[in-house]
Amino acid sequence: MNCFQTWPEPIVRVQSLSDSGITTIPERYIKLLQDRPTPSPNTPHNDDLINIPTIDLSDLQSDDISVRHDTLGQISRACIEWGFFQVVNHGVSHSLMKRTAEVWRQFFELPIEEKQVYANSPATYEGYGSRLGVEKGVKLDWSDYFFLNYLPRSVRDENKWPRFPSSCRELVAEYGDELGRLCEKLMKVFSLNLGLEEDYLQKAFGGEDIDACLRANFYPKCPQPDLTLGLSPHSDPGGMTLLLPDVHVSGLQVRRGDHWVTVKPVPNAFIVNIGDQIQLLSNATYKSVEHRVIVNSAKERVSLAFFYNPNGNIPLQPAQKLVTEDHPALYPTMTYNEYRLFIRKRGLRGKSQVESLKSHH
């Protein structure tokens, strides 16, 4: 890991660039023509009518078995057809969601010198950051972030979390506990829908000894939003992600075939997406889907991404039950730490990371 101790170039805070009043963005942020967020000719004109599925999780507790069965089916179809869906009535306090988002907005509004105390390095990514990947000279994304670890307990260090606003550490801890519980619930649903034992995926991830982390994203206003991206196209390397989006400003786009669909956030919902490790364990029955973030010139945007991942040291392989003669194992056995190292060297590269691991049969 020694090659990952420092960033290859001095870090520039995108928020500082935005606040400086520039009218054109630096060359480093201008994407290649084919990577810019201009609408592709394949984007349907009825884009306003397209959105990822929204699922009411309270229906899983319904007394009516047909309602429960229908909800499981909705989640199954969303995992297979989209890799993304929104959940409402998920059991997490709406007040906690609002307060946690607000505390991060307040953090990003602090003077730059107060945030610099938490400046991160590529060794762990923990803290206040402005780039992903350590390749020199690459195009950069129009965003800053704060990354922190929840689990395992051995890597959780609340002293590395922001001290200000004063409620931040307490809120972030409570938020992590609540979202961990929601992920456990969803893992059972995914397992059942795949025809596996209810606890199969949770056990494969390490039972209670899993890995969880949070990235608070800040997308500053951008004077030339059509030339850059807040986050480059990628699939999430871990297990599952719960995103609390900025309900006032859309930014997340999900790949659907050969065009991008802008997700319209539903109030008090989480956006759930499948990561590379569930793709691997399900032998590609469920697929992680490429997504990216666009920015705009009128409003900044804050979102919170909670990553629920396997224990880094457990070898993962496709579930035996999902491997047949007609559908052999598509991926080699690999730990999540090995996969993460592979990713960190390369930065965000669409879906090429997980695809490059496929066994050649």
Side-chain angles (χ1 to χ4, degrees), residues 7-235:
W7 299 112
E9 298 135 325
I11 290 292
V12 176
R13 301 301 176 193
V14 178
Q15 190 175 6
S16 299
L17 282 176
S18 177
D19 289 348
S20 72
I22 56 171
T23 54
T24 57
I25 62 175
E27 181 70 28
R28 289 298 301 277
Y29 298 91
I30 298 176
K31 303 291 183 185
L32 299 173
L33 203 55
Q34 67 270 25
D35 297 333
R36 292 178 196 171
T38 46
S40 70
N42 299 315
T43 303
H45 295 300
N46 63 344
D47 188 47
D48 286 343
L49 306 175
I50 299 178
N51 202 5
I52 60 172
T54 298
I55 296 165
D56 186 337
L57 284 192
S58 66
D59 287 342
L60 290 172
Q61 268 71 54
S62 170
D63 293 334
D64 185 336
I65 192 164
S66 65
V67 172
R68 294 201 304 272
H69 190 264
D70 182 56
T71 309
L72 287 170
Q74 286 177 46
I75 295 171
S76 180
R77 283 191 298 279
C79 290
I80 291 167
E81 294 168 15
W82 282 93
F84 271 82
F85 55 97
Q86 301 193 66
V87 291
V88 293
N89 295 324
H90 39 62
V92 178
S93 150
H94 294 175
S95 165
L96 177 63
M97 293 162 72
K98 194 173 177 181
R99 284 179 293 139
T100 309
E102 184 54 34
V103 89
W104 281 113
R105 190 177 289 278
Q106 289 168 5
F107 170 79
F108 287 113
E109 285 169 357
L110 290 172
I112 191 81
E113 56 274 14
E114 290 188 41
K115 292 180 294 213
Q116 279 298 114
V117 174
Y118 304 101
N120 73 347
S121 86
T124 65
Y125 277 85
E126 272 183 291
Y128 179 48
S130 296
R131 67 178 291 168
L132 301 166
V134 290
E135 210 176 308
K136 197 169 181 174
V138 293
K139 295 289 183 187
L140 298 175
D141 290 336
W142 193 262
S143 56
D144 300 321
Y145 62 86
F146 196 102
F147 181 84
L148 59 86
N149 287 310
Y150 281 117
L151 295 170
R153 291 272 170 189
S154 57
V155 297
R156 177 182 178 130
D157 184 356
E158 294 190 18
N159 291 319
K160 292 180 180 175
W161 301 3
R163 283 177 58 217
F164 299 105
S166 55
S167 58
C168 185
R169 290 179 180 176
E170 189 183 334
L171 276 173
V172 167
E174 188 184 345
Y175 184 81
D177 290 344
E178 289 281 320
L179 269 67
R181 280 194 280 276
L182 175 53
C183 285
E184 286 179 16
K185 198 189 301 185
L186 288 167
M187 291 280 275
K188 288 179 180 172
V189 171
F190 296 159
S191 295
L192 289 170
N193 276 340
L194 287 164
L196 304 168
E197 296 292 318
E198 185 183 65
D199 60 355
Y200 183 91
L201 288 175
Q202 190 70 44
K203 276 186 175 167
F205 270 40
E208 290 187 3
D209 193 16
I210 58 103
D211 182 295
C213 46
L214 178 82
R215 193 176 68 222
N217 303 302
F218 184 76
Y219 302 101
K221 286 182 275 200
C222 178
Q224 295 178 297
D226 51 336
L227 298 183
T228 191
L229 289 167
L231 204 53
S232 294
H234 64 287
S235 61

